[in-house]
Amino acid sequence: MGELRKPFLLLALLAVALVVGLELGSSLLTGGGEAGGALLTSARDLGVDVGDVGGISEPSGRGTGYLTLIDMVALWTTGLFCLSLVLSDRVQGRVQGVATLVFSILMLLASLVLLVIAFVELTVMVSLFLAVPFGTLAYLALWGFFPVGEASLLLGLVLLLKLVWGGLLLLAQPRFLQNKGLVLLVLTTLVCTVVLEFLHRLVPVILVSILDDVGALVFAVVAIVWGLVLLIGSIPAIVKAVRVTATVR
């Protein structure tokens, strides 16, 4: 790929690491505040009588956290590029295949578990919301108000950092544009972030938690696809490393 511009590559690694950190901490950065008054106003606008809603808190949602599954691939890929700065091509070739295989398996397992969790929660949400009146009231008490504004600020920052990450990768090595897998990964994570923001703005606030969970479900599926791509891609590297080792012996 030619000579890498090390400072830009290391900054790209920092940017994507910040993205993952923000997404992992999304449950602490959003939600948890008192939402009783806002829920009451929103419900009345829709003609729903929720009675006493004191003590209701904002759910943080799963969507932003589930973006981590996809962005871990971005962090892993950028990390592998940085690994070439400290390891020879021969050593990196041996390490990369096995490490990617292990990472992809762990990612697939985590994504499958989180997919099931999101699906079960989404089923419960929809079932409660449609079970008028007591089920609907229970849904409103648990998920009736979503911190759209806070989530939007967080997603805006995450999107900005992802754009910075992509730009720094391009500055580090313009020929990264010829790497179709990397370009597709950048587009995937950017589109998923925009889609989540769109879902948060699509429906009234009392329904946002449902669409946020739909987004989380989709992100888990996308992460599974990327996990399979990494798994399949690691096999040739492992085979090549085994052949080289056998030849040396």
Side-chain angles (χ1 to χ4, degrees):
M1 290 188 298
E3 184 178 353
L4 287 170
R5 299 181 180 92
K6 299 178 182 179
F8 291 120
L9 185 59
L10 293 175
L11 287 174
L13 181 63
L14 176 61
V16 73
L18 287 174
V19 167
V20 172
L22 286 172
E23 290 169 348
L24 286 174
S26 61
S27 60
L28 299 176
L29 297 173
T30 61
E34 165 58 34
L39 172 58
L40 184 59
T41 301
S42 177
R44 283 176 176 173
D45 290 341
L46 295 174
V48 178
D49 182 12
V50 298
D52 182 12
V53 293
I56 302 301
S57 62
E58 302 168 337
S60 59
R62 293 187 178 275
T64 305
Y66 273 51
L67 280 173
T68 309
L69 294 171
I70 301 171
D71 292 324
M72 281 299 296
V73 180
L75 179 60
W76 179 262
T77 303
T78 309
L80 289 179
F81 291 147
C82 292
L83 197 62
S84 66
L85 302 178
V86 295
L87 296 179
S88 65
D89 292 341
R90 181 177 177 181
V91 175
Q92 184 186 6
R94 295 181 178 181
V95 172
Q96 180 175 327
V98 176
T100 302
L101 177 65
V102 174
F103 172 77
S104 62
I105 292 174
L106 293 176
M107 180 180 169
L108 284 170
L109 292 175
S111 299
L112 285 170
V113 171
L114 292 175
L115 175 66
V116 172
I117 293 174
F119 178 77
V120 171
E121 185 177 64
L122 179 61
T123 303
V124 172
M125 282 184 181
V126 175
S127 299
L128 285 177
F129 184 77
L130 296 177
V132 181
F134 299 110
T136 304
L137 293 176
Y139 165 83
L140 291 173
L142 293 172
W143 298 291
F145 189 83
F146 191 91
V148 176
E150 295 174 16
S152 180
L153 288 174
L154 181 59
L155 287 173
L157 179 58
V158 165
L159 182 62
L160 176 61
L161 286 171
K162 289 180 181 182
L163 291 172
V164 170
W165 165 63
L168 288 170
L169 283 179
L170 188 59
L171 290 173
Q173 178 52 266
R175 279 198 267 180
F176 277 147
L177 281 174
Q178 299 175 9
N179 188 327
K180 295 180 180 179
L182 179 60
V183 172
L184 185 58
L185 176 60
V186 173
L187 292 176
T188 298
T189 186
L190 289 176
V191 169
C192 286
T193 307
V194 173
V195 166
L196 184 60
E197 172 66 15
F198 173 75
L199 290 176
H200 287 173
R201 300 286 182 175
L202 186 61
V203 293
V205 68
I206 63 173
L207 297 175
V208 173
S209 289
I210 292 178
L211 287 192
D212 181 77
D213 229 50
V214 170
L217 203 64
V218 172
F219 300 154
V221 173
V222 173
I224 289 173
V225 172
W226 274 105
L228 291 173
V229 169
L230 290 178
L231 179 64
I232 295 172
S234 67
I235 295 175
I238 293 175
V239 172
K240 183 178 179 180
V242 170
R243 288 179 177 176
V244 170
T245 302
T247 302
V248 172
R249 290 180 180 178

